C-alpha cells in the first residue's frame, strides 16, 4: 500500500501543489468513481489527511461509496476555477481500502471534532476508506509553458514540459 506518508516522501512537489489547492478551496476536491454501468461519476468530497492516511470520507449510503464498494478505483482532483492553472492543479489516482480498525476510527472522529466541531465520536463507520495511491500528477504554467509533474510509486517525480 502506498500510504499518504510514503506518497509525501516520494512526491514532495506534487504534495505541495495538492495541499495548496486543497486548502485554497476549503478542503474541497472532486472524486471520480465508476458507476455500475462503467460510466464515470464526479462527486464533491472533502478528503482529510490523518496520521499516515489520506481518508476519503462521506455520508453512509452515498452513491460514491456504493461505487467504491463495487470498484475501489478513484481519481481525486483538486477543485479548479482558474482556466490558466496559475496556482497549479493536482490529481491523485489509486484505489481505496476499507480500514476496519475501530481505534483509528475513534482517533479520526476525535480529530475531526477538535478541528471542525463536527461530532462523529462514538459513531460506527460502515466504511472507512483510505487511499492506496498508485499515481499522481500536477499541471503548472511556468514561463509560458506547461510543466506536468508525474509520480509513480517507487519511481519518484518526473517533469514533462509542453510548449
Amino acid at each position: 500500500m502506498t500510504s499518504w506518508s510514503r506518497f509525501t516522501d516520494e512526491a514532495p512537489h506534487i504534495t505541495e501543489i495538492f495541499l495548496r489547492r486543497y486548502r485554497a478551496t476549503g478542503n474541497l476536491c472532486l472524486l471520480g468513481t465508476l458507476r455500475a454501468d462503467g460510466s464515470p461519476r464526479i462527486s464533491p468530497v472533502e478528503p482529510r489527511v490523518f496520521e499516515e492516511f489520506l481518508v476519503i470520507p462521506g455520508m453512509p449510503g452515498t452513491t460514491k461509496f456504493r461505487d467504491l464498494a463495487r470498484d475501489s478505483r478513484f481519481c481525486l482532483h483538486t477543485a479548479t476555477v482558474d482556466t490558466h492553472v496559475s496556482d497549479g492543479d493536482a490529481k491523485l489516482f489509486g484505489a481505496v481500502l476499507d480500514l476496519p480498525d475501530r481505534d483509528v476510527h475513534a482517533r479520526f472522529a476525535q480529530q475531526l471534532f477538535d478541528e471542525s466541531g463536527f461530532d462523529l465520536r462514538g459513531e460506527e463507520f460502515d466504511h472507512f476508506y483510505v487511499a492506496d495511491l498508485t499515481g499522481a500528477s500536477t499541471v503548472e504554467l511556468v514561463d509560458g509553458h506547461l510543466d506536468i509533474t508525474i509520480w509513480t510509486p517507487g519511481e519518484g517525480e518526473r517533469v514533462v514540459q509542453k510548449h
Side-chain angles (χ1 to χ4, degrees), residues 4-5 49-55 103-104 107-108 111:
W4 178 256
S5 56
V49 175
F50 174 71
E51 296 180 357
E52 77 263 25
F53 305 110
L54 178 62
V55 179
D103 291 336
V104 171
R107 290 193 309 273
F108 176 82
Q111 184 185 63

Side-chain angles (χ1 to χ4, degrees), residues 140-161:
E140 298 171 275
L141 188 59
V142 178
D143 298 326
H145 66 272
L146 288 179
D147 274 1
I148 302 165
T149 304
I150 302 164
W151 168 79
T152 304
E155 297 178 19
E157 296 175 315
R158 65 185 173 88
V159 177
V160 175
Q161 291 186 342

Side-chain angles (χ1 to χ4, degrees), residues 1 3 6 9 11 36 44 59 66 72 79 87 90 109 116 143 156 162:
M1 176 181 158
S3 66
R6 177 176 167 203
D9 288 345
M59 292 174 30
R66 285 195 299 272
S72 64
D87 199 28
S116 71
D143 298 326
K162 299 282 185 175

Side-chain angles (χ1 to χ4, degrees), residues 19-89:
L19 290 175
R20 181 176 66 227
R21 293 300 313 134
Y22 165 79
R23 291 178 182 129
T25 59
N27 304 344
L28 179 66
C29 289
L30 300 173
L31 179 70
T33 59
L34 294 172
R35 299 173 186 249
D37 67 2
S39 62
R41 181 188 319 273
I42 301 294
S43 304
V45 68
E46 297 176 47
R48 296 187 65 83
V49 175
F50 174 71
E51 296 180 357
E52 77 263 25
F53 305 110
L54 178 62
V55 179
I56 310 294
M59 292 174 30
T62 60
T63 53
K64 64 185 160 223
F65 271 16
R66 285 195 299 272
D67 290 348
L68 291 171
R70 186 178 45 262
D71 186 327
S72 64
R73 294 174 296 170
F74 72 88
C75 175
L76 187 65
H77 192 285
T78 54
T80 303
V81 295
D82 177 9
T83 59
H84 299 288
V85 292
S86 57
D87 199 28
D89 179 68

Side-chain angles (χ1 to χ4, degrees), residues 101-119:
D101 187 328
R102 294 195 188 280
D103 291 336
V104 171
H105 301 180
R107 290 193 309 273
F108 176 82
Q110 184 62 54
Q111 184 185 63
L112 181 65
F113 178 76
D114 293 344
E115 292 178 359
S116 71
F118 189 68
D119 197 357

